[in-house]
Amino acid sequence: MSAAMVLGLAAAPQAAQAANERFVLISHAPDSDSWWNTIKTAIREAGQQVGAKVDYQNPSTGDLADMARIVQQATASKPDGIIITIADFDVLKGPITDAVKKGIPVITINSGTAEQSKALGALMHIGQPEYDAGKGAGEKAKAAGVTKFLCVNHYITNPASVERCQGFADALGVKLGDQMVDSGMDPGEVQTKVSAYLRAHPDTNGILTLGPNSAEPTIQVLQANKQAGKIFFATFDLSPAIAAGIKDGTVTFAIDQQPYLQGYLPVVLLANYVRYGVIPSNNINSGPGFITKDNIAQVEKLAGEYR
């Protein structure tokens, strides 16, 4: 068999079977995080296309201990496959490896690394290398002259979020210290902390936010302070408000990890693995891509649903 072949044979957990498998996607996101709506769209459409049922489960407040319990409960229900984010390797290692030991195929997505996924016994990882994405954004910021920055981290308990800020800082050649603010997810709290930081550090000329939960309140702060368009402002992910910010110049660019692929691909791949024993032999990087004024027209109508 040629090493260049995309699909490789693997030992299937059971013989090929008909449709109607049940898969569970478990994310770390709280109910308030609208970014995951795209993932929900993807698993719904993928499930319909392959004839499988896909359940979305998450800790309502984003508590990772609750997430670990959800993994245990999902494993006990004996699904045909689990799709899961590696929000915290140490917290989730036990429940995920237990699922694998029980013969449940697992694909990891979004948070975490390919190395962590392999260590957990998962089939593969589909996501965006977070440090590299942050570094890529930082390189663009450095080229634009950014020297002092703020990283607004709305989910600091997720190690992947810190990797984003760290990559940004490393690209600028500065240490990641108090530039990273634990903003929390409450919009009012985010606004208060961003405003306070900018008052205390008036020489800040660059901002990185890590998703709509932190980006949208930050947009409001910059507009209220008449600083919109005057500070280099990059954010991860996309939403209608972020798309509008790109168009009006408040947001320099958004880092797109193509979440639709993170939801759609694992459902299709698990269905084929369970039925036929085939699975890609490589991990899949779904991002990063960069959305700017030059290409926002292509994606803004899809924001929040497919992009």
Side-chain angles (χ1 to χ4, degrees), residues 144 207 229 231-235 245-246 249-254 291-293:
I207 296 176
I231 293 180
F232 180 98
F233 181 12
T235 184
I246 293 173
T250 303
V251 180
T252 310
F253 61 78
I291 301 173
T292 66
K293 274 189 176 181

Side-chain angles (χ1 to χ4, degrees), residues 1-61:
M1 181 179 293
S2 170
M5 290 181 66
V6 175
L7 293 181
L9 291 177
Q14 59 189 60
Q17 57 175 280
N20 301 317
E21 292 87 1
R22 181 174 64 87
F23 304 129
V24 180
L25 189 151
I26 305 170
S27 89
H28 57 268
D31 291 342
S32 61
D33 194 340
S34 62
W35 182 84
W36 288 84
N37 290 340
T38 301
I39 297 281
K40 295 174 184 176
T41 298
I43 63 174
R44 182 182 68 248
E45 295 190 351
Q48 291 172 347
Q49 290 175 18
V50 302
K53 179 181 179 182
V54 190
D55 296 324
Y56 176 89
Q57 298 181 13
N58 66 299
S60 60
T61 64

Side-chain angles (χ1 to χ4, degrees), residues 217-239:
T218 300
I219 289 172
Q220 294 175 0
V221 169
L222 294 181
Q223 291 174 341
N225 293 347
K226 297 183 179 181
Q227 293 174 292
K230 299 178 181 179
I231 293 180
F232 180 98
F233 181 12
T235 184
F236 279 79
D237 305 328
L238 192 65
S239 72

Side-chain angles (χ1 to χ4, degrees), residues 110-302:
N110 189 262
S111 295
T113 66
E115 292 76 18
Q116 290 175 333
S117 180
K118 182 178 180 179
L120 293 171
L123 296 172
M124 64 184 302
H125 184 72
I126 302 173
Q128 173 178 260
E130 303 293 4
Y131 175 85
D132 293 342
K135 190 171 183 180
E139 289 169 349
K140 292 180 180 295
K142 184 175 182 179
V146 173
T147 54
K148 305 288 185 180
F149 78 98
L150 164 64
C151 185
V152 189
N153 193 334
H154 65 273
Y155 198 13
I156 205 165
T157 57
N158 185 340
S161 68
V162 179
E163 290 177 11
R164 293 175 172 183
C165 297
Q166 186 65 62
F168 194 84
D170 288 350
L172 291 177
V174 301
K175 291 184 178 180
L176 179 62
D178 64 0
Q179 301 100 319
M180 181 172 68
V181 172
D182 179 6
S183 68
M185 295 190 187
D186 178 77
E189 183 179 359
V190 176
Q191 289 183 20
T192 297
K193 290 188 175 181
V194 170
S195 296
Y197 187 93
L198 294 179
R199 286 196 301 271
H201 303 84
D203 56 348
T204 299
N205 57 0
I207 296 176
L208 177 69
T209 58
L210 306 188
N213 287 71
S214 49
E216 293 177 4
T218 300
I219 289 172
Q220 294 175 0
V221 169
L222 294 181
Q223 291 174 341
N225 293 347
K226 297 183 179 181
Q227 293 174 292
K230 299 178 181 179
I231 293 180
F232 180 98
F233 181 12
T235 184
F236 279 79
D237 305 328
L238 192 65
S239 72
I242 292 172
I246 293 173
K247 291 178 68 177
D248 67 24
T250 303
V251 180
T252 310
F253 61 78
I255 304 159
D256 181 22
Q257 60 178 298
Q258 301 186 100
Y260 186 85
L261 293 180
Q262 295 178 16
Y264 182 87
L265 290 177
V267 173
V268 175
L269 294 174
L270 278 176
N272 280 278
Y273 180 70
V274 170
R275 297 172 190 177
Y276 316 120
V278 293
I279 193 79
S281 58
N282 56 294
N283 299 297
I284 298 175
N285 287 344
S286 65
F290 295 92
I291 301 173
T292 66
K293 274 189 176 181
D294 293 334
N295 59 8
I296 185 61
Q298 298 175 346
V299 301
E300 66 174 323
K301 293 181 179 180
L302 304 175

Side-chain angles (χ1 to χ4, degrees), residues 100-113:
V100 173
K101 289 176 182 177
K102 286 180 167 58
I104 300 173
V106 173
I107 290 179
T108 60
I109 64 167
N110 189 262
S111 295
T113 66

